[in-house]
Every structure is written in C-alpha cells, then in structure tokens.
Amino acid sequence: GTSNLKGKTIVAYEEGYLDWLRPTHDGLEVETDGSFGMLPLLVESLGGTWVRSAELSSDDLAGADVVLVLHPDQPWQPDQLERLGDYVRGGGSLLVAAEPRIAQRGSASSFDEVLQPTAIRVHDDTAIGHQANWQDSFEAFAHPAAVGATETWGGFGFRDGSSLQAAWPARPVLVGRYGYATPGSDAALTSVFRYEAGHRLGDLVLAAEQRFGGGRVFVLGDTSPLANQMLVESYGFAGRLLGYLASQGGTPQAPWRQLLSFLAAGGLIALLVWRPAPAQVALCSITMAATLACVVATSRWSSRVLPDGRDHK
C-alpha cells in the first residue's frame, strides 16, 4: 500500500450531513471545530488535489481518481446515480462513509440509494465498542489500508457508527470483534448505550469493499475516521485508504492471490511430508519466518503516512 496522492484528484460531493469548517484556536464549543475541514489539508499535504463538486457532473467525474460521499442526506437525482455508476464501472473508486441514520425536516440519510447496485448495505443501528473509540476491539483483515494501524488507541478513528452487511461478492475489511449493535440511531443521538437481549453481539462489519465493474466501492460504517475530531489519530488509516483507492492497488484478498497461496502452501506441505528430514523442516521454518518479517517490515515502511507537505508545493 501507499499513501502517495501525487497527481491524484479526490472529488468530494458537497451535499451531505457535513460542513467544511476547520478547528479554531481556543474554540470553546465542539460545534465550532467543524466536521471535515481538515480532510482537504490532509489530501493536499500528501500531494493530492481536492475538488468539491455540487452535482458530481460528468466533467468532475472525468478527472476524479476517488469520489468521496460523506453521509448524503438529500434524495439523489437519477442522472447523478447513473453518472456515478458509469464512473465506477469504468474503473473509478467510490468511497462512501455512512453513520447512524437521520430523518428530520429537510434531511434524511440517502446512502442506500448509492449502494443499491452493490452487495453492501448499512444496517439501521448504532455500533458500539466495548471500550471508547473501539479500543482493543478491532480485527483488521489483510488489506493495504489497515497495514500499520494500531488497534489499541483509535488508530482507525471509529466512534459510534453503523454496522454493515457485506454479502458476496463484497468482502469485510474491518470487523468490530468486541462490541454490539443497538437498533436505530437513538444511542448515537443521546450517548446512552445499553446492551439488551436480541441485539447483535460481536463481529460487526464496520468497513467493506466490493469490486464493481472495472472499479471498486469502499464503504465505512462511520464518518469519524475522516472527521476533524478523529483525524489526528486516524490520519494514517485515512491516508492509506485514499492512496489505495486512488492507485487502484491490489489486495491480499484477490482470488488469484488466495489460490496461488493455497497451492504453494499445499505443495510445501506435500514436500515436507514426502521427505520429513528434521533439518529441512527447520530450515524451511526459519526461511519462512525471516521472509514474513521482511515483508511485514517493508509493507509498514512503504505505507507510512507523512502529512508534512513534502509532496505539495
């Protein structure tokens, strides 16, 4: 994986349950910190170009490497959905960040309309970790966006989002191993959390991905990893995720990689059973351990996220 966004364009849809304010020095109220105003700065510091689009027009989509939709709360026009579908089928990347649903005057969550052609759905619930910010509660699948992210202190930046359904051919990327999902969005609005019989307990899918035509759709069950308040902790995950989507990078979950690994492992086991010499078994174990250590170290080093502006004039 890589977080280098040099020469890449991130197009963000302007409509949504969001604002682009930035935190101010000595701000006394949480509301003055804004929602997503720091995200463009992160993209630019990694060498990327940030574009806000009011309609996701054909011209905006033509130059996009990643299209970002943050908790849309207005009905979609049919031509918008058609353009977005054609963009992904043609090889583009779509990142959708959802949250517990809202339904109030003039505003209602509409991410279901975007995800309708995929096998990913956002449950009508609030996913809650057994510790604040899902501390020590995650299980990350092998994925470029998850390399090097710490599960101990908010490395993924999730707070109280919604769980996902990821049916085939979609694949889970991040699972809340220790937590539960309470129906509806009242828990997110009131900050009153209580597990009751019948609530889904454990192994909640919080991030999922699906190949769609020539492109891919990636869904987060929470907008917090991209929001101002959590970005100071989750910028590594956010940077790798955007870099992965912008570069259309590969993933260990690719079927051909899975098949090749299975065949290689089966062949190795067969050879060791056929000639079970102790020295060969020991040498094989040492070689595989050293190789794994080198690969993990190389992946972690190459996927570092350094938002210091070195890739942005």
Side-chain angles (χ1 to χ4, degrees), residues 222-293:
D222 192 0
T223 60
S224 297
L226 307 176
N228 293 346
Q229 289 187 7
M230 296 301 291
L231 203 57
V232 68
E233 298 180 359
S234 62
Y235 69 89
F237 172 63
R240 282 186 296 271
L241 177 57
L242 292 173
Y244 162 75
L245 292 173
S247 64
Q248 288 281 354
T251 167
Q253 299 181 22
W256 71 269
R257 293 179 187 268
Q258 297 281 340
L259 179 60
L260 186 61
S261 299
F262 178 79
L263 294 176
L268 178 60
I269 292 172
L271 289 174
L272 292 177
V273 171
W274 179 41
R275 300 185 63 180
Q280 290 180 345
V281 175
L283 180 60
C284 180
S285 301
I286 293 173
T287 302
M288 293 187 68
T291 302
L292 180 60

Side-chain angles (χ1 to χ4, degrees), residues 28 51 54 171 196 205-206 222 255 266:
L28 300 179
V51 176
R171 301 187 298 268
E196 297 180 1
V205 178
L206 300 178
D222 192 0

Side-chain angles (χ1 to χ4, degrees), residues 123-138:
H123 289 135
D124 184 10
D125 63 18
T126 302
I128 302 161
H130 88 297
Q131 296 280 20
N133 299 339
W134 290 88
Q135 177 188 349
D136 297 317
S137 300
F138 284 121

Side-chain angles (χ1 to χ4, degrees), residues 10-80:
I10 312 298
V11 174
Y13 186 41
E14 282 193 337
E15 294 294 334
Y17 193 63
L18 51 82
D19 64 65
W20 301 106
L21 299 176
R22 298 174 182 172
T24 56
H25 180 63
D26 277 350
L28 300 179
E29 300 293 337
V30 174
E31 288 76 10
T32 63
D33 290 344
S35 298
F36 300 98
M38 297 301 294
L39 188 56
L41 295 183
L42 175 64
V43 169
E44 292 169 0
S45 73
L46 298 176
T49 301
W50 178 269
V51 176
R52 284 163 52 184
S53 175
E55 299 179 355
L56 295 178
S57 65
S58 298
D59 291 339
D60 290 340
L61 295 179
D65 293 288
V66 180
V67 172
L68 175 61
V69 177
L70 296 164
H71 195 165
D73 65 343
Q74 298 296 324
W76 291 81
Q77 299 300 318
D79 56 335
Q80 287 180 312

